[in-house]
Amino acid sequence: MTSSDLPNIDTGLFRAPTNDDLFAAAPSDHKPRILLLYGSLRERSFSRLAVEEAARLLEAMGAETRLFNPRGLPLADAEDASHPKVQELRELVQWSEGMVWCSPERHGAMTGIMKTQIDWIPLSMGAVRPTQGKTLAVMQVCGGSQSFNAVNQLRVLGRWMRMVTIPNQSSVPKAFMEFDDNDRMKPSAYYDRIVDVMEELVKFTLLVRDRSDYLTDRYSERKESAEELSKRVNQRSI
Protein backbone atom coordinates (compact mmCIF):
# COMPACT_ATOMS: atom_id res chain seq x y z
CA MET A 1 0.00 0.00 0.00
CA THR A 2 1.34 3.44 -0.92
CA SER A 3 0.63 6.86 0.55
CA SER A 4 -1.64 7.55 -2.45
CA ASP A 5 -4.01 4.85 -1.16
CA LEU A 6 -4.60 6.94 1.97
CA PRO A 7 -4.86 10.53 0.70
CA ASN A 8 -6.35 11.80 3.98
CA ILE A 9 -3.44 10.53 6.09
CA ASP A 10 -0.51 12.65 7.23
CA THR A 11 2.20 10.07 6.57
CA GLY A 12 4.61 11.80 8.94
CA LEU A 13 2.25 11.15 11.84
CA PHE A 14 0.89 7.74 10.79
CA ARG A 15 2.42 4.87 12.78
CA ALA A 16 1.72 1.17 12.42
CA PRO A 17 1.76 -0.56 15.82
CA THR A 18 4.53 -3.12 16.32
CA ASN A 19 5.46 -5.67 18.95
CA ASP A 20 8.82 -3.99 19.39
CA ASP A 21 7.22 -0.65 20.24
CA LEU A 22 4.55 -2.22 22.45
CA PHE A 23 7.00 -4.18 24.58
CA ALA A 24 9.92 -1.74 24.51
CA ALA A 25 9.40 -0.45 28.06
CA ALA A 26 11.20 -2.24 30.86
CA PRO A 27 8.74 -3.61 33.44
CA SER A 28 8.33 -1.59 36.64
CA ASP A 29 9.49 -3.30 39.82
CA HIS A 30 7.19 -1.54 42.31
CA LYS A 31 3.91 -3.02 43.51
CA PRO A 32 0.85 -2.30 41.34
CA ARG A 33 -0.94 0.70 42.90
CA ILE A 34 -4.70 0.20 43.18
CA LEU A 35 -7.23 2.78 44.43
CA LEU A 36 -10.60 1.48 45.65
CA LEU A 37 -13.75 3.63 45.70
CA TYR A 38 -17.08 2.68 47.28
CA GLY A 39 -20.48 4.30 47.05
CA SER A 40 -22.15 4.42 50.45
CA LEU A 41 -21.85 6.46 53.67
CA ARG A 42 -23.71 3.98 55.86
CA GLU A 43 -21.97 2.92 59.06
CA ARG A 44 -22.14 -0.69 57.86
CA SER A 45 -21.63 -0.13 54.17
CA PHE A 46 -21.63 -3.33 52.14
CA SER A 47 -19.90 -1.65 49.22
CA ARG A 48 -17.13 -0.65 51.64
CA LEU A 49 -16.98 -4.16 53.07
CA ALA A 50 -16.76 -5.56 49.54
CA VAL A 51 -13.82 -3.31 48.61
CA GLU A 52 -12.12 -4.11 51.91
CA GLU A 53 -12.29 -7.79 50.93
CA ALA A 54 -11.01 -6.83 47.48
CA ALA A 55 -8.13 -4.88 49.02
CA ARG A 56 -7.10 -7.87 51.14
CA LEU A 57 -7.01 -10.02 48.02
CA LEU A 58 -5.06 -7.41 46.06
CA GLU A 59 -2.50 -7.09 48.84
CA ALA A 60 -2.12 -10.88 48.91
CA MET A 61 -1.49 -10.75 45.14
CA GLY A 62 1.32 -8.24 45.62
CA ALA A 63 -0.47 -4.94 45.05
CA GLU A 64 -0.43 -1.79 47.16
CA THR A 65 -3.93 -0.51 47.92
CA ARG A 66 -5.58 2.63 49.19
CA LEU A 67 -9.26 3.25 49.97
CA PHE A 68 -10.86 6.66 49.65
CA ASN A 69 -13.46 7.53 52.29
CA PRO A 70 -16.08 9.68 50.51
CA ARG A 71 -17.52 11.13 53.72
CA GLY A 72 -17.21 14.90 53.55
CA LEU A 73 -16.75 15.02 49.78
CA PRO A 74 -18.97 17.87 48.47
CA LEU A 75 -21.25 17.53 45.48
CA ALA A 76 -19.48 18.22 42.22
CA ASP A 77 -19.06 21.99 41.69
CA ALA A 78 -20.66 22.80 45.06
CA GLU A 79 -17.18 23.74 46.29
CA ASP A 80 -13.96 24.78 44.65
CA ALA A 81 -11.58 22.02 43.55
CA SER A 82 -9.22 23.17 46.30
CA HIS A 83 -11.52 21.51 48.87
CA PRO A 84 -9.40 19.10 50.97
CA LYS A 85 -11.47 16.01 50.13
CA VAL A 86 -11.35 16.80 46.42
CA GLN A 87 -7.59 17.25 46.61
CA GLU A 88 -7.25 13.98 48.54
CA LEU A 89 -9.26 12.11 45.90
CA ARG A 90 -7.36 13.61 42.98
CA GLU A 91 -3.97 12.88 44.54
CA LEU A 92 -4.99 9.25 45.06
CA VAL A 93 -6.18 9.01 41.45
CA GLN A 94 -2.83 10.33 40.21
CA TRP A 95 -0.99 7.90 42.50
CA SER A 96 -2.93 4.89 41.22
CA GLU A 97 -2.23 2.62 38.26
CA GLY A 98 -5.58 0.86 38.52
CA MET A 99 -8.89 1.25 40.34
CA VAL A 100 -11.81 -0.67 41.76
CA TRP A 101 -15.23 1.01 41.75
CA CYS A 102 -17.97 -0.59 43.85
CA SER A 103 -21.44 0.91 44.19
CA PRO A 104 -24.66 -0.21 45.79
CA GLU A 105 -27.59 -0.27 43.40
CA ARG A 106 -30.20 2.27 44.40
CA HIS A 107 -33.35 2.85 42.33
CA GLY A 108 -31.79 0.79 39.55
CA ALA A 109 -28.63 2.87 39.36
CA MET A 110 -25.34 3.66 41.05
CA THR A 111 -25.58 5.89 44.11
CA GLY A 112 -25.13 9.64 44.08
CA ILE A 113 -21.99 9.47 46.21
CA MET A 114 -20.43 7.04 43.73
CA LYS A 115 -21.17 9.36 40.82
CA THR A 116 -19.94 12.38 42.80
CA GLN A 117 -16.54 10.78 43.30
CA ILE A 118 -16.20 10.10 39.59
CA ASP A 119 -17.50 13.58 38.71
CA TRP A 120 -14.71 15.14 40.78
CA ILE A 121 -12.07 13.30 38.72
CA PRO A 122 -11.34 15.51 35.70
CA LEU A 123 -10.54 14.18 32.25
CA SER A 124 -7.43 16.35 32.32
CA MET A 125 -5.37 18.23 34.87
CA GLY A 126 -3.13 20.55 32.90
CA ALA A 127 -1.32 18.30 30.43
CA VAL A 128 -2.07 15.15 32.48
CA ARG A 129 -5.09 12.91 31.98
CA PRO A 130 -5.33 11.30 35.41
CA THR A 131 -7.40 8.24 34.45
CA GLN A 132 -6.33 7.60 30.84
CA GLY A 133 -4.76 4.20 30.33
CA LYS A 134 -5.31 3.04 33.90
CA THR A 135 -7.08 -0.23 34.59
CA LEU A 136 -10.51 -0.50 36.20
CA ALA A 137 -12.58 -3.25 37.81
CA VAL A 138 -16.27 -2.63 38.49
CA MET A 139 -18.41 -4.16 41.24
CA GLN A 140 -21.80 -3.67 42.81
CA VAL A 141 -23.72 -4.85 45.84
CA CYS A 142 -27.47 -5.40 45.76
CA GLY A 143 -30.06 -5.26 48.51
CA GLY A 144 -32.21 -7.81 46.69
CA SER A 145 -31.82 -10.11 43.72
CA GLN A 146 -28.76 -9.91 41.50
CA SER A 147 -28.66 -7.03 39.06
CA PHE A 148 -26.06 -5.49 36.77
CA ASN A 149 -27.41 -1.95 36.36
CA ALA A 150 -24.72 -0.28 38.46
CA VAL A 151 -21.77 -2.15 36.93
CA ASN A 152 -23.10 -1.41 33.44
CA GLN A 153 -23.21 2.30 34.28
CA LEU A 154 -19.74 2.16 35.81
CA ARG A 155 -18.45 0.59 32.60
CA VAL A 156 -19.84 3.51 30.60
CA LEU A 157 -18.08 5.94 32.92
CA GLY A 158 -14.84 3.95 32.79
CA ARG A 159 -14.86 4.14 29.00
CA TRP A 160 -15.63 7.87 29.14
CA MET A 161 -12.68 8.35 31.53
CA ARG A 162 -10.49 6.51 28.97
CA MET A 163 -9.75 3.64 31.34
CA VAL A 164 -8.97 0.02 30.46
CA THR A 165 -11.99 -1.66 32.06
CA ILE A 166 -11.35 -5.37 32.53
CA PRO A 167 -13.87 -7.91 31.16
CA ASN A 168 -14.77 -9.55 34.48
CA GLN A 169 -17.02 -7.93 37.10
CA SER A 170 -18.77 -8.68 40.39
CA SER A 171 -22.39 -8.27 41.48
CA VAL A 172 -23.31 -9.49 44.96
CA PRO A 173 -27.06 -10.04 45.53
CA LYS A 174 -28.60 -9.77 49.01
CA ALA A 175 -25.30 -8.45 50.27
CA PHE A 176 -26.58 -8.30 53.85
CA MET A 177 -26.55 -12.12 53.83
CA GLU A 178 -23.01 -12.43 52.47
CA PHE A 179 -21.08 -10.90 55.41
CA ASP A 180 -20.68 -12.33 58.90
CA ASP A 181 -20.84 -10.55 62.26
CA ASN A 182 -17.15 -9.65 61.93
CA ASP A 183 -17.85 -7.89 58.62
CA ARG A 184 -15.97 -10.53 56.64
CA MET A 185 -17.42 -12.02 53.49
CA LYS A 186 -18.64 -15.59 53.82
CA PRO A 187 -17.37 -18.34 51.49
CA SER A 188 -19.54 -18.46 48.38
CA ALA A 189 -19.51 -18.28 44.60
CA TYR A 190 -19.86 -14.51 44.98
CA TYR A 191 -16.66 -14.34 47.03
CA ASP A 192 -14.90 -16.52 44.46
CA ARG A 193 -15.99 -14.12 41.73
CA ILE A 194 -14.35 -11.22 43.61
CA VAL A 195 -11.16 -13.29 43.77
CA ASP A 196 -11.40 -13.79 39.99
CA VAL A 197 -11.97 -10.08 39.36
CA MET A 198 -9.03 -8.97 41.52
CA GLU A 199 -6.74 -11.56 39.94
CA GLU A 200 -7.71 -10.29 36.50
CA LEU A 201 -7.23 -6.67 37.57
CA VAL A 202 -3.69 -7.31 38.78
CA LYS A 203 -2.84 -9.15 35.55
CA PHE A 204 -4.17 -6.35 33.36
CA THR A 205 -2.47 -3.70 35.49
CA LEU A 206 0.90 -5.45 35.15
CA LEU A 207 0.31 -5.74 31.42
CA VAL A 208 -0.82 -2.16 30.84
CA ARG A 209 0.91 0.14 33.33
CA ASP A 210 4.30 0.40 31.58
CA ARG A 211 2.65 0.73 28.17
CA SER A 212 -0.26 3.08 28.88
CA ASP A 213 1.39 6.02 27.12
CA TYR A 214 1.93 3.92 24.00
CA LEU A 215 -1.53 2.34 24.15
CA THR A 216 -3.22 5.74 24.37
CA ASP A 217 -1.05 7.48 21.76
CA ARG A 218 -3.52 8.42 19.00
CA TYR A 219 -3.06 9.57 15.43
CA SER A 220 -5.74 12.28 15.74
CA GLU A 221 -4.09 13.74 18.84
CA ARG A 222 -0.63 13.63 17.30
CA LYS A 223 -2.05 15.47 14.30
CA GLU A 224 -3.80 18.05 16.47
CA SER A 225 -0.67 18.63 18.51
CA ALA A 226 1.40 19.08 15.36
CA GLU A 227 -1.08 21.59 13.98
CA GLU A 228 -1.17 23.55 17.25
CA LEU A 229 2.62 23.58 17.42
CA SER A 230 2.85 24.81 13.83
CA LYS A 231 0.40 27.65 14.52
CA ARG A 232 2.26 28.71 17.66
CA VAL A 233 5.71 28.60 16.04
CA ASN A 234 4.64 30.34 12.85
CA GLN A 235 2.51 33.10 14.38
CA ARG A 236 3.88 36.62 14.19
CA SER A 237 5.50 38.07 17.28
CA ILE A 238 3.31 40.63 19.02
Side-chain angles (χ1 to χ4, degrees):
M1 181 178 290
T2 66
S3 58
S4 61
D5 296 319
L6 299 170
N8 297 328
I9 288 290
D10 183 332
T11 55
L13 298 173
F14 182 74
R15 301 169 188 169
T18 68
N19 279 327
D20 289 342
D21 289 335
L22 179 61
F23 295 103
S28 299
D29 58 7
H30 64 272
K31 294 181 177 181
R33 299 192 292 260
I34 308 296
L35 171 63
L36 299 98
L37 306 181
Y38 57 93
S40 171
L41 300 178
R42 290 181 176 178
E43 182 177 352
R44 192 169 190 243
S45 161
F46 293 109
S47 61
R48 175 178 57 80
L49 296 182
V51 297
E52 287 177 352
E53 288 292 345
R56 293 183 186 100
L57 291 164
L58 290 166
E59 295 274 351
M61 295 175 190
E64 180 181 359
T65 65
R66 296 184 187 177
L67 275 67
F68 175 72
N69 182 348
R71 185 171 296 279
L73 182 70
L75 289 172
D77 302 326
E79 299 282 351
D80 190 82
S82 62
H83 188 284
K85 289 298 290 187
V86 176
Q87 287 298 303
E88 178 189 354
L89 173 60
R90 291 186 174 186
E91 287 170 8
L92 287 171
V93 169
Q94 288 184 291
W95 165 85
S96 70
E97 296 169 326
M99 294 191 217
V100 177
W101 295 349
C102 181
S103 177
E105 181 173 319
R106 181 170 295 169
H107 300 317
M110 77 180 79
T111 59
I113 193 61
M114 189 77 236
K115 183 62 161 55
T116 295
Q117 292 174 82
I118 299 167
D119 284 346
W120 271 121
I121 303 170
L123 284 173
S124 63
M125 296 173 64
V128 177
R129 286 182 171 140
T131 54
Q132 177 168 270
K134 296 184 178 183
T135 53
L136 173 65
V138 295
M139 302 168 54
Q140 74 173 74
V141 292
C142 311
S145 58
Q146 191 175 44
S147 169
F148 300 94
N149 291 320
V151 288
N152 288 339
Q153 292 176 330
L154 292 172
R155 283 190 177 278
V156 170
L157 289 172
R159 183 174 70 246
W160 189 260
M161 302 301 283
R162 299 187 174 190
M163 303 182 75
V164 180
T165 308
I166 67 171
N168 215 339
Q169 62 187 23
S170 167
S171 175
V172 181
K174 297 182 180 178
F176 62 92
M177 297 180 62
E178 298 301 323
F179 292 86
D180 63 23
D181 292 339
N182 295 315
D183 289 339
R184 295 300 305 272
M185 196 167 182
K186 301 173 184 177
S188 70
Y190 303 120
Y191 177 81
D192 292 347
R193 172 57 69 90
I194 293 178
V195 179
D196 290 347
V197 173
M198 294 308 111
E199 182 180 12
E200 190 171 290
L201 177 63
V202 172
K203 290 176 181 177
F204 271 79
T205 304
L206 291 171
L207 181 67
V208 167
R209 66 176 181 176
D210 298 309
R211 303 171 179 89
S212 61
D213 288 343
Y214 180 72
L215 291 169
T216 57
D217 180 39
R218 300 176 178 90
Y219 168 77
S220 62
E221 293 179 358
R222 292 195 298 272
K223 183 177 178 183
E224 180 183 25
S225 298
E227 290 174 349
E228 290 176 351
L229 177 63
S230 177
K231 289 178 183 178
R232 178 164 53 82
V233 169
N234 292 322
Q235 68 182 353
R236 295 180 179 179
S237 298
I238 297 175

PDB file of all heavy atoms in Angstrom, residues 29-34 55-65 202 206 209:
ATOM      1  N   ASP A  29       9.260  -2.313  38.758  1.00  0.00           N
ATOM      2  CA  ASP A  29       9.487  -3.297  39.815  1.00  0.00           C
ATOM      3  C   ASP A  29       8.755  -2.955  41.110  1.00  0.00           C
ATOM      4  O   ASP A  29       8.884  -3.661  42.102  1.00  0.00           O
ATOM      5  CB  ASP A  29      10.991  -3.469  40.084  1.00  0.00           C
ATOM      6  CG  ASP A  29      11.666  -2.154  40.469  1.00  0.00           C
ATOM      7  OD1 ASP A  29      10.961  -1.142  40.656  1.00  0.00           O
ATOM      8  OD2 ASP A  29      12.913  -2.150  40.595  1.00  0.00           O
ATOM      9  N   HIS A  30       7.958  -1.859  41.104  1.00  0.00           N
ATOM     10  CA  HIS A  30       7.195  -1.537  42.308  1.00  0.00           C
ATOM     11  C   HIS A  30       5.848  -2.269  42.276  1.00  0.00           C
ATOM     12  O   HIS A  30       5.408  -2.745  41.230  1.00  0.00           O
ATOM     13  CB  HIS A  30       6.977  -0.030  42.433  1.00  0.00           C
ATOM     14  CG  HIS A  30       6.140   0.557  41.341  1.00  0.00           C
ATOM     15  ND1 HIS A  30       6.673   1.014  40.152  1.00  0.00           N
ATOM     16  CD2 HIS A  30       4.799   0.750  41.229  1.00  0.00           C
ATOM     17  CE1 HIS A  30       5.715   1.465  39.380  1.00  0.00           C
ATOM     18  NE2 HIS A  30       4.561   1.316  40.007  1.00  0.00           N
ATOM     19  N   LYS A  31       5.194  -2.346  43.423  1.00  0.00           N
ATOM     20  CA  LYS A  31       3.907  -3.023  43.506  1.00  0.00           C
ATOM     21  C   LYS A  31       2.854  -2.265  42.694  1.00  0.00           C
ATOM     22  O   LYS A  31       2.868  -1.029  42.657  1.00  0.00           O
ATOM     23  CB  LYS A  31       3.448  -3.103  44.960  1.00  0.00           C
ATOM     24  CG  LYS A  31       4.313  -3.966  45.852  1.00  0.00           C
ATOM     25  CD  LYS A  31       3.757  -3.993  47.265  1.00  0.00           C
ATOM     26  CE  LYS A  31       4.567  -4.925  48.168  1.00  0.00           C
ATOM     27  NZ  LYS A  31       4.011  -4.982  49.539  1.00  0.00           N
ATOM     28  N   PRO A  32       1.955  -2.985  42.023  1.00  0.00           N
ATOM     29  CA  PRO A  32       0.845  -2.303  41.345  1.00  0.00           C
ATOM     30  C   PRO A  32       0.052  -1.468  42.353  1.00  0.00           C
ATOM     31  O   PRO A  32      -0.268  -1.939  43.447  1.00  0.00           O
ATOM     32  CB  PRO A  32      -0.002  -3.450  40.788  1.00  0.00           C
ATOM     33  CG  PRO A  32       0.934  -4.611  40.695  1.00  0.00           C
ATOM     34  CD  PRO A  32       1.895  -4.450  41.830  1.00  0.00           C
ATOM     35  N   ARG A  33      -0.269  -0.234  41.980  1.00  0.00           N
ATOM     36  CA  ARG A  33      -0.936   0.696  42.896  1.00  0.00           C
ATOM     37  C   ARG A  33      -2.420   0.775  42.536  1.00  0.00           C
ATOM     38  O   ARG A  33      -2.774   1.267  41.463  1.00  0.00           O
ATOM     39  CB  ARG A  33      -0.280   2.071  42.818  1.00  0.00           C
ATOM     40  CG  ARG A  33       1.191   2.042  43.225  1.00  0.00           C
ATOM     41  CD  ARG A  33       1.745   3.434  43.420  1.00  0.00           C
ATOM     42  NE  ARG A  33       1.826   4.183  42.169  1.00  0.00           N
ATOM     43  CZ  ARG A  33       2.940   4.340  41.468  1.00  0.00           C
ATOM     44  NH1 ARG A  33       4.073   3.774  41.882  1.00  0.00           N
ATOM     45  NH2 ARG A  33       2.939   5.049  40.348  1.00  0.00           N
ATOM     46  N   ILE A  34      -3.262   0.306  43.447  1.00  0.00           N
ATOM     47  CA  ILE A  34      -4.697   0.205  43.178  1.00  0.00           C
ATOM     48  C   ILE A  34      -5.484   1.071  44.163  1.00  0.00           C
ATOM     49  O   ILE A  34      -5.335   0.939  45.383  1.00  0.00           O
ATOM     50  CB  ILE A  34      -5.190  -1.250  43.280  1.00  0.00           C
ATOM     51  CG1 ILE A  34      -4.331  -2.189  42.422  1.00  0.00           C
ATOM     52  CG2 ILE A  34      -6.667  -1.331  42.890  1.00  0.00           C
ATOM     53  CD1 ILE A  34      -4.392  -1.934  40.944  1.00  0.00           C
ATOM     54  N   ALA A  55      -9.457  -5.402  48.678  1.00  0.00           N
ATOM     55  CA  ALA A  55      -8.130  -4.878  49.021  1.00  0.00           C
ATOM     56  C   ALA A  55      -7.263  -5.957  49.670  1.00  0.00           C
ATOM     57  O   ALA A  55      -6.054  -6.046  49.391  1.00  0.00           O
ATOM     58  CB  ALA A  55      -8.269  -3.679  49.950  1.00  0.00           C
ATOM     59  N   ARG A  56      -7.863  -6.773  50.522  1.00  0.00           N
ATOM     60  CA  ARG A  56      -7.096  -7.874  51.138  1.00  0.00           C
ATOM     61  C   ARG A  56      -6.574  -8.820  50.058  1.00  0.00           C
ATOM     62  O   ARG A  56      -5.425  -9.272  50.116  1.00  0.00           O
ATOM     63  CB  ARG A  56      -7.976  -8.630  52.137  1.00  0.00           C
ATOM     64  CG  ARG A  56      -8.377  -7.837  53.369  1.00  0.00           C
ATOM     65  CD  ARG A  56      -9.179  -8.702  54.344  1.00  0.00           C
ATOM     66  NE  ARG A  56      -9.673  -7.912  55.457  1.00  0.00           N
ATOM     67  CZ  ARG A  56     -10.920  -7.441  55.553  1.00  0.00           C
ATOM     68  NH1 ARG A  56     -11.795  -7.710  54.578  1.00  0.00           N
ATOM     69  NH2 ARG A  56     -11.298  -6.718  56.584  1.00  0.00           N
ATOM     70  N   LEU A  57      -7.422  -9.124  49.108  1.00  0.00           N
ATOM     71  CA  LEU A  57      -7.010 -10.018  48.024  1.00  0.00           C
ATOM     72  C   LEU A  57      -5.905  -9.378  47.179  1.00  0.00           C
ATOM     73  O   LEU A  57      -4.924 -10.036  46.819  1.00  0.00           O
ATOM     74  CB  LEU A  57      -8.210 -10.354  47.144  1.00  0.00           C
ATOM     75  CG  LEU A  57      -9.283 -11.238  47.792  1.00  0.00           C
ATOM     76  CD1 LEU A  57     -10.578 -11.175  46.998  1.00  0.00           C
ATOM     77  CD2 LEU A  57      -8.785 -12.676  47.900  1.00  0.00           C
ATOM     78  N   LEU A  58      -6.064  -8.104  46.859  1.00  0.00           N
ATOM     79  CA  LEU A  58      -5.061  -7.405  46.060  1.00  0.00           C
ATOM     80  C   LEU A  58      -3.713  -7.366  46.768  1.00  0.00           C
ATOM     81  O   LEU A  58      -2.657  -7.561  46.145  1.00  0.00           O
ATOM     82  CB  LEU A  58      -5.540  -5.986  45.750  1.00  0.00           C
ATOM     83  CG  LEU A  58      -6.712  -5.878  44.770  1.00  0.00           C
ATOM     84  CD1 LEU A  58      -7.314  -4.476  44.811  1.00  0.00           C
ATOM     85  CD2 LEU A  58      -6.264  -6.225  43.356  1.00  0.00           C
ATOM     86  N   GLU A  59      -3.741  -7.107  48.070  1.00  0.00           N
ATOM     87  CA  GLU A  59      -2.498  -7.090  48.844  1.00  0.00           C
ATOM     88  C   GLU A  59      -1.844  -8.469  48.821  1.00  0.00           C
ATOM     89  O   GLU A  59      -0.616  -8.583  48.686  1.00  0.00           O
ATOM     90  CB  GLU A  59      -2.782  -6.658  50.285  1.00  0.00           C
ATOM     91  CG  GLU A  59      -3.287  -5.224  50.430  1.00  0.00           C
ATOM     92  CD  GLU A  59      -2.164  -4.211  50.522  1.00  0.00           C
ATOM     93  OE1 GLU A  59      -0.995  -4.618  50.638  1.00  0.00           O
ATOM     94  OE2 GLU A  59      -2.465  -2.995  50.484  1.00  0.00           O
ATOM     95  N   ALA A  60      -2.665  -9.523  48.938  1.00  0.00           N
ATOM     96  CA  ALA A  60      -2.123 -10.884  48.908  1.00  0.00           C
ATOM     97  C   ALA A  60      -1.536 -11.217  47.542  1.00  0.00           C
ATOM     98  O   ALA A  60      -0.644 -12.074  47.432  1.00  0.00           O
ATOM     99  CB  ALA A  60      -3.223 -11.894  49.258  1.00  0.00           C
ATOM    100  N   MET A  61      -2.007 -10.536  46.499  1.00  0.00           N
ATOM    101  CA  MET A  61      -1.490 -10.751  45.145  1.00  0.00           C
ATOM    102  C   MET A  61      -0.324  -9.831  44.815  1.00  0.00           C
ATOM    103  O   MET A  61       0.142  -9.797  43.678  1.00  0.00           O
ATOM    104  CB  MET A  61      -2.620 -10.558  44.123  1.00  0.00           C
ATOM    105  CG  MET A  61      -3.723 -11.593  44.231  1.00  0.00           C
ATOM    106  SD  MET A  61      -5.096 -11.216  43.092  1.00  0.00           S
ATOM    107  CE  MET A  61      -6.348 -12.392  43.656  1.00  0.00           C
ATOM    108  N   GLY A  62       0.125  -9.057  45.806  1.00  0.00           N
ATOM    109  CA  GLY A  62       1.320  -8.242  45.616  1.00  0.00           C
ATOM    110  C   GLY A  62       1.079  -6.789  45.284  1.00  0.00           C
ATOM    111  O   GLY A  62       2.024  -6.059  44.973  1.00  0.00           O
ATOM    112  N   ALA A  63      -0.169  -6.330  45.359  1.00  0.00           N
ATOM    113  CA  ALA A  63      -0.474  -4.940  45.046  1.00  0.00           C
ATOM    114  C   ALA A  63      -0.413  -4.076  46.302  1.00  0.00           C
ATOM    115  O   ALA A  63      -0.472  -4.560  47.432  1.00  0.00           O
ATOM    116  CB  ALA A  63      -1.858  -4.830  44.416  1.00  0.00           C
ATOM    117  N   GLU A  64      -0.298  -2.778  46.094  1.00  0.00           N
ATOM    118  CA  GLU A  64      -0.432  -1.787  47.156  1.00  0.00           C
ATOM    119  C   GLU A  64      -1.791  -1.120  46.968  1.00  0.00           C
ATOM    120  O   GLU A  64      -2.143  -0.725  45.858  1.00  0.00           O
ATOM    121  CB  GLU A  64       0.681  -0.744  47.063  1.00  0.00           C
ATOM    122  CG  GLU A  64       0.621   0.326  48.139  1.00  0.00           C
ATOM    123  CD  GLU A  64       1.719   1.366  48.023  1.00  0.00           C
ATOM    124  OE1 GLU A  64       2.550   1.240  47.103  1.00  0.00           O
ATOM    125  OE2 GLU A  64       1.727   2.312  48.835  1.00  0.00           O
ATOM    126  N   THR A  65      -2.567  -1.018  48.049  1.00  0.00           N
ATOM    127  CA  THR A  65      -3.933  -0.507  47.917  1.00  0.00           C
ATOM    128  C   THR A  65      -4.172   0.694  48.818  1.00  0.00           C
ATOM    129  O   THR A  65      -3.553   0.838  49.878  1.00  0.00           O
ATOM    130  CB  THR A  65      -4.965  -1.590  48.272  1.00  0.00           C
ATOM    131  OG1 THR A  65      -4.843  -1.943  49.651  1.00  0.00           O
ATOM    132  CG2 THR A  65      -4.777  -2.829  47.413  1.00  0.00           C
ATOM    133  N   VAL A 202      -5.141  -7.359  38.590  1.00  0.00           N
ATOM    134  CA  VAL A 202      -3.690  -7.312  38.781  1.00  0.00           C
ATOM    135  C   VAL A 202      -2.973  -7.690  37.488  1.00  0.00           C
ATOM    136  O   VAL A 202      -2.002  -7.045  37.080  1.00  0.00           O
ATOM    137  CB  VAL A 202      -3.257  -8.230  39.944  1.00  0.00           C
ATOM    138  CG1 VAL A 202      -1.729  -8.333  40.018  1.00  0.00           C
ATOM    139  CG2 VAL A 202      -3.805  -7.697  41.267  1.00  0.00           C
ATOM    140  N   LEU A 206      -0.491  -5.129  35.472  1.00  0.00           N
ATOM    141  CA  LEU A 206       0.900  -5.449  35.153  1.00  0.00           C
ATOM    142  C   LEU A 206       1.157  -5.363  33.652  1.00  0.00           C
ATOM    143  O   LEU A 206       2.228  -4.929  33.210  1.00  0.00           O
ATOM    144  CB  LEU A 206       1.247  -6.848  35.666  1.00  0.00           C
ATOM    145  CG  LEU A 206       1.319  -7.021  37.191  1.00  0.00           C
ATOM    146  CD1 LEU A 206       1.449  -8.496  37.542  1.00  0.00           C
ATOM    147  CD2 LEU A 206       2.472  -6.228  37.778  1.00  0.00           C
ATOM    148  N   ARG A 209       0.398  -1.066  32.669  1.00  0.00           N
ATOM    149  CA  ARG A 209       0.913   0.138  33.329  1.00  0.00           C
ATOM    150  C   ARG A 209       2.167   0.721  32.689  1.00  0.00           C
ATOM    151  O   ARG A 209       2.338   1.940  32.672  1.00  0.00           O
ATOM    152  CB  ARG A 209       1.161  -0.132  34.817  1.00  0.00           C
ATOM    153  CG  ARG A 209       2.262  -1.136  35.118  1.00  0.00           C
ATOM    154  CD  ARG A 209       2.470  -1.244  36.610  1.00  0.00           C
ATOM    155  NE  ARG A 209       3.530  -2.187  36.946  1.00  0.00           N
ATOM    156  CZ  ARG A 209       3.954  -2.390  38.191  1.00  0.00           C
ATOM    157  NH1 ARG A 209       3.418  -1.721  39.200  1.00  0.00           N
ATOM    158  NH2 ARG A 209       4.919  -3.265  38.425  1.00  0.00           N
TER     159      ARG A 209
END
